[in-house]
Amino acid sequence: VGADGKPVFIKYPEGDHEFRAKMKECFPEDSAKIDQLMDLAGQFRSAVAIMSDGGVSLEKSISKVKDVKSKLHMLGLLLKAKKVCPDFLKLAKMPVPEFFEEYEMPVSIRRYIGSLWWYLGDDIHKLPIARMLGSFYFPIDVPCYYPVNTCHEYLIAMEKELRDLGGEVRYNEEVTEILVREGRVTGIRTAGGSEIETEHVVCNASPGTVFKNMIKDDRTVCRQLAEEAADIPLNGSFATVYLGLNATCEELGITNHP
């Protein structure tokens, strides 16, 4: 709840039944397709669980497995996965646009899938539908909330909550270094030269920036982490541009959107 007493967040529908009901309430004409999508997502999740429990990741290809025993093990898991999800092998590498067309998904579902926030930055035209189906239940299985209006409103609400709990927020103060002594974090140093002592640091910068530029400790573990961080590939799109439209996509003649 914000400072004005009005809700800042609305609770996401929790659980398969509640989510289906809400989707059908919003798009009653697409009820059958909503059931199809939810069924596919559920089946796919069960199939992935079978593979994971057997120690095989979805990205691993059976053609790359050289050991005969391992190949037979993987083949057995694939057969089990296909029993719970008949389209498992087809969906595993199918791009999102192809999934939309082959399964004749309506605009309502295309827009919902295209808006899933944890894939911002990825090219949806190249993204496998498997990645979305695999984590489709993420906001459904656990209590999730989304902002009523703007991102700014919930950031202000979070700041207020933090301050109410005794926290401190400093604006326009860049952290330039994470202080480490004998392999343990001891604090941070800002661009202004001030130091803050702490035993824990949560940093949202990229691993490369953290281990190459912000930690000066020359211990072997930091050098190794810096080398590993340098090899991490960036997302399909490094920058995401947000555009505000004064009309619907259809009214503006935009057709190549999710």
Side-chain angles (χ1 to χ4, degrees):
V1 177
D4 58 0
K6 295 181 179 179
V8 177
F9 294 97
I10 292 178
K11 191 171 183 297
Y12 205 86
E14 188 177 348
D16 184 290
H17 178 74
E18 186 179 330
F19 183 80
R20 288 188 195 226
K22 192 63 179 178
M23 285 285 283
K24 291 177 182 180
E25 178 187 325
C26 296
F27 309 104
E29 69 280 6
D30 298 328
S31 292
K33 285 297 177 181
I34 290 168
D35 280 332
Q36 183 185 20
L37 176 67
M38 295 297 292
D39 290 343
L40 277 172
Q43 292 169 8
F44 193 83
R45 182 174 65 161
S46 297
V48 170
I50 289 172
M51 301 296 290
S52 298
D53 291 344
V56 176
S57 67
L58 190 61
E59 289 77 18
K60 196 170 186 179
S61 173
I62 194 168
S63 61
K64 295 180 180 179
V65 180
K66 304 302 181 184
D67 179 66
V68 175
K69 186 177 180 180
S70 298
K71 187 169 288 194
L72 289 173
H73 171 67
M74 188 174 179
L75 184 60
L77 292 174
L78 285 171
L79 292 173
K80 288 181 180 179
K82 194 167 170 49
K83 281 185 178 180
V84 298
C85 180
D87 290 348
F88 179 65
L89 295 177
K90 181 168 66 173
L91 292 170
K93 294 186 177 180
M94 183 180 287
V96 171
E98 188 177 326
F99 170 78
F100 287 158
E101 295 302 320
E102 180 154 339
Y103 289 86
E104 299 179 342
M105 289 295 161
V107 172
S108 60
I109 289 177
R110 297 182 187 213
R111 286 182 174 172
Y112 172 75
I113 289 180
S115 70
L116 294 177
W117 60 265
W118 53 89
Y119 294 109
L120 287 176
D122 281 331
D123 185 350
I124 196 171
H125 297 92
K126 297 178 181 178
L127 193 67
I129 191 63
R131 282 187 60 191
M132 288 191 167
L133 291 178
S135 55
F136 188 80
Y137 275 85
F138 167 70
I140 302 172
D141 282 342
V142 296
C144 287
Y145 299 81
Y146 61 92
V148 174
N149 292 314
T150 66
C151 294
H152 180 68
E153 288 181 354
Y154 80 80
L155 290 175
I156 294 299
M158 288 173 66
E159 179 193 14
K160 178 182 179 300
E161 182 73 9
L162 179 62
R163 291 185 187 277
D164 289 345
L165 293 171
E168 181 182 353
V169 179
R170 298 189 185 185
Y171 289 107
N172 302 315
E173 189 162 3
E174 179 188 2
V175 176
T176 56
E177 184 178 350
I178 297 174
L179 304 175
V180 176
R181 185 182 299 118
E182 296 180 357
R184 299 185 68 85
V185 168
T186 60
I188 56 100
R189 180 179 289 121
T190 70
S194 63
E195 294 186 6
I196 300 174
E197 293 184 359
T198 180
E199 295 181 353
H200 306 281
V201 172
V202 178
C203 184
N204 196 36
S206 70
T209 299
V210 173
F211 294 109
K212 289 178 66 178
N213 305 326
M214 298 183 73
I215 298 179
K216 310 300 182 184
D217 190 330
D218 195 39
R219 290 163 61 92
T220 303
V221 64
C222 287
R223 290 200 304 272
Q224 289 176 343
L225 289 170
E227 292 171 1
E228 291 175 9
D231 293 332
I232 298 175
L234 296 174
N235 248 353
S237 300
F238 183 68
T240 301
V241 179
Y242 297 89
L243 300 175
L245 306 178
N246 61 0
T248 66
C249 291
E250 287 75 14
E251 290 170 339
L252 293 172
I254 299 174
T255 57
N256 59 336
H257 62 91

